[in-house]
Amino acid sequence: MYDVIIVGAGASGSLCASILKLNNKNLNVLILEKNDKLGKKLSITGNGRCNLGNLDMDIGNFNTNSDITRFEKKLCKRENYLDYLKQIGIVVKEDNGRLYPYSNQAISVCKSFERYLEHLNVKIKYNYNVTNVKKENDLFIINDSIKAYNVVIATGGKSYPKTGSTGFGYDVLKGFGHKIEKLYPSLTYLKTDYKYIKDIAGVRFDCLASLSVDGVIEEKEHGQVQFTKDSVSGICIFNLSRNVSKYLDEGKKINVIINLVPEYNDDELKTYINSFNEYKIEDALSGIINNKLASAITKELKLNGKVVRQLTQDQINDVVFKVNNMNLGVICTGSFDASQVTVGGASLDYFTDDLESIKCKGLYAIGEVLDVDGKCGGYNLAWAFTSAIIVADKISKM
Ligand SMILES: Cc1cc2nc3c(=O)[nH]c(=O)nc-3n(C[C@H](O)[C@H](O)[C@H](O)COP(=O)(O)OP(=O)(O)OC[C@H]3O[C@@H](n4cnc5c(N)ncnc54)[C@H](O)[C@@H]3O)c2cc1C
């Protein structure tokens, strides 16, 4: 019989178990993990560096269908979880506002958790796939065999299922009467039908990207856009991707509008182009934008090969407009297999301020299985860690 069973040894489950034991060493805690090791997803975060937080912890970086303000105080005070991480041996440093482990290695974060949980005598059963969670006479029964007074669902969302997060937690919570907000992939690439996308595959370019929804600009992000043979990606595109699947589901028209030279206004661009009036237009442009982009834009306008001085002012205006408004139609997002985080999930409205189920006493949920997602920049791990602390504090006080 266990005091607490945590399903999932990912980011949230590992921290939750550590704090439970730190707060009360007499608690009998078991983690059940289907993989053969802890933190398979955690070990690949932040391009292998694990971006585990941010200096800017404004609540606007988080999204949910519910009211998140009741968690704002804890979520936006990053010292809460950084202090715990320090105790575990995970010291952080800042890089451009983002927080990373000093080791610069996501895998070392997993190792620190492993060592610490062992030191605290937390039992972890690896290669254990939870398929069934029931409650009978005040006791939870897992897979018809292991019993506990409290169960914490820390199974993650649906993104990157090869790391173990296949969406099982949603089924469990649904079975206990919880509402699951519709799931969509987020922080992923956007597939485009732009005619010349193959010509610009491989280009990476710093620019200002905007998301247009039915012709109205909804969001703008600065950063590097990476062009592939059929899509655009990069952190700024990931951040724009959050609602795209939902909008496409609703039949809305989505475009990514790219301002390739946001530092130049129209007049400055025109002056720049006109100063090379003996050049072919694509050559004139390639002094200021990547030559593949210059070629795609001029092909699109059917001006490729024309010398600048032969162009009319209207034609030059068209070129300037395209450079500042390269328009890519979006046909879909990357799937869950290629998305960093899941939008939607178990509605916060069905949980108390301690993240205990209002449908079933002793049942808790933490991390990505809940309907909270964040932008790129460490916000998703911030939520995983903060929610883990909220639940560990509640259970260990009982
Ligand atoms: C490529 C990539 C890069 C990312 N980079 C960052 C980043 O730099 N910063 C950031 O903030 N976020 C990042 N994220 C998002 C972040 O990793 C997740 O939001 C976070 O790991 C969620 O934590 P979690 O504990 O809820 O779930 P997870 O970390 O996914 O852990 C869930 C665990 O539950 C286990 N499990 C699931 N079902 C069962 C079952 N039935 N039985 C037993 N065990 C089960 C899984 O095997 C898994 O180990 C990234 C995601 C990806 C895919």
Side-chain angles (χ1 to χ4, degrees):
M1 173 75 66
Y2 291 91
D3 294 308
V4 191
I5 287 181
I6 297 173
V7 186
S12 62
S14 302
L15 185 66
C16 188
S18 309
I19 300 174
L20 279 166
K21 285 294 263 189
L22 267 173
N23 288 357
N24 183 348
K25 66 176 177 2
N26 296 321
L27 280 177
N28 201 2
V29 180
L30 172 69
I31 309 184
L32 299 173
E33 168 55 57
K34 68 156 85 145
N35 290 327
D36 60 0
K37 59 178 177 220
L38 177 153
K40 209 167 168 189
K41 183 177 283 176
L42 188 58
S43 71
I44 57 165
T45 54
N47 268 331
R49 289 177 69 203
C50 186
N51 177 198
L52 46 73
N54 204 295
L55 290 187
D56 167 20
M57 285 305 287
D58 190 275
I59 198 72
N61 293 299
F62 298 90
N63 300 293
T64 170
N65 291 289
S66 304
D67 178 14
I68 200 172
T69 49
R70 63 189 166 124
F71 299 107
E72 180 171 359
K73 225 165 150 189
K74 287 179 177 155
L75 184 53
C76 297
K77 194 166 177 247
R78 62 181 172 274
E79 293 80 9
N80 281 344
Y81 72 86
L82 293 184
D83 286 348
Y84 279 118
L85 292 183
K86 202 168 172 184
Q87 287 192 58
I88 290 165
I90 304 161
V91 186
V92 300
K93 64 176 174 189
E94 184 231 332
D95 182 358
N96 269 323
R98 295 175 174 221
L99 303 177
Y100 294 91
Y102 233 89
S103 62
N104 234 351
Q105 247 192 334
I107 205 116
S108 76
V109 174
C110 300
K111 291 278 169 228
S112 298
F113 272 122
E114 268 171 22
R115 273 195 304 270
Y116 204 68
L117 289 167
E118 197 183 331
H119 159 77
L120 291 170
N121 274 324
V122 174
K123 296 179 203 75
I124 309 183
K125 265 188 205 278
Y126 290 110
N127 299 307
Y128 190 96
N129 186 22
V130 175
T131 54
N132 192 308
V133 180
K134 280 192 302 213
K135 193 172 185 195
E136 281 173 14
N137 307 324
D138 287 346
L139 280 184
F140 289 94
I141 310 171
I142 307 252
N143 288 6
D144 294 322
S145 62
I146 313 179
K147 294 184 179 159
Y149 295 111
N150 299 282
V151 165
V152 182
I153 304 298
T155 47
K158 269 193 93 159
S159 301
Y160 257 66
K162 62 183 173 199
T163 61
S165 51
T166 49
F168 169 73
Y170 305 125
D171 300 337
V172 174
L173 291 164
K174 209 169 163 191
F176 281 98
H178 278 250
K179 178 180 177 193
I180 308 299
E181 299 286 358
K182 194 156 183 198
L183 308 170
Y184 293 103
S186 178
L187 304 190
T188 184
Y189 63 81
L190 299 176
K191 207 165 175 178
T192 175
D193 56 5
Y194 180 62
K195 192 170 171 194
Y196 300 101
I197 188 72
K198 279 199 179 69
D199 298 354
I200 51 181
V203 172
R204 290 164 179 249
F205 205 69
D206 285 338
C207 47
L208 176 68
S210 309
L211 188 77
S212 156
V213 183
D214 279 344
V216 178
I217 298 294
E218 186 172 88
E219 262 184 282
K220 293 182 181 197
E221 286 276 339
H222 247 290
Q224 188 182 74
V225 172
Q226 298 165 15
F227 298 86
T228 74
K229 64 178 184 351
D230 59 2
S231 65
V232 276
S233 111
I235 289 175
C236 64
I237 297 295
F238 283 6
N239 281 337
L240 294 179
S241 72
R242 179 178 194 264
N243 290 314
V244 169
S245 290
K246 177 169 153 263
Y247 289 149
L248 289 170
D249 248 12
E250 293 166 356
K252 293 189 169 139
K253 191 168 161 38
I254 304 296
N255 295 72
V256 171
I257 315 286
I258 299 180
N259 184 343
L260 292 166
V261 195
E263 299 82 7
Y264 277 45
N265 65 29
D266 288 3
D267 286 342
E268 287 167 331
L269 256 182
K270 243 188 269 179
T271 308
Y272 172 84
I273 293 170
N274 281 321
S275 67
F276 294 101
N277 66 357
E278 294 302 322
Y279 282 27
K280 286 183 194 155
I281 178 66
E282 62 272 27
D283 293 340
L285 282 179
S286 60
I288 198 162
I289 59 175
N290 180 287
N291 65 342
K292 287 188 179 172
L293 292 169
S295 169
I297 282 173
T298 50
K299 266 195 214 165
E300 204 186 332
L301 292 169
K302 300 196 170 36
L303 297 176
N304 210 34
K306 294 235 160 79
V307 173
V308 172
R309 71 177 148 69
Q310 295 172 330
L311 301 180
T312 64
Q313 273 318 299
D314 279 352
Q315 285 172 322
I316 291 193
N317 287 342
D318 289 346
V319 173
V320 168
F321 183 80
K322 272 279 172 247
V323 170
N324 284 340
N325 298 274
M326 191 179 184
N327 190 332
L328 312 182
V330 174
I331 47 179
C332 64
T333 68
S335 66
F336 283 113
D337 289 350
S339 71
Q340 292 197 358
V341 78
T342 308
V343 164
S347 169
L348 292 178
D349 298 345
Y350 285 61
F351 290 90
T352 66
D353 292 354
D354 296 315
L355 291 172
E356 183 173 13
S357 162
I358 59 169
K359 292 281 179 183
C360 174
K361 207 167 162 18
L363 180 67
Y364 299 82
I366 54 179
E368 202 177 312
V369 71
L370 289 164
D371 171 28
V372 177
D373 63 280
K375 285 187 170 182
C376 280
Y379 299 105
N380 290 297
L381 287 174
W383 169 249
F385 292 144
T386 305
S387 55
I389 296 173
I390 292 172
V391 167
D393 280 348
K394 163 72 192 324
I395 297 179
S396 52
K397 268 191 213 129
M398 290 194 323

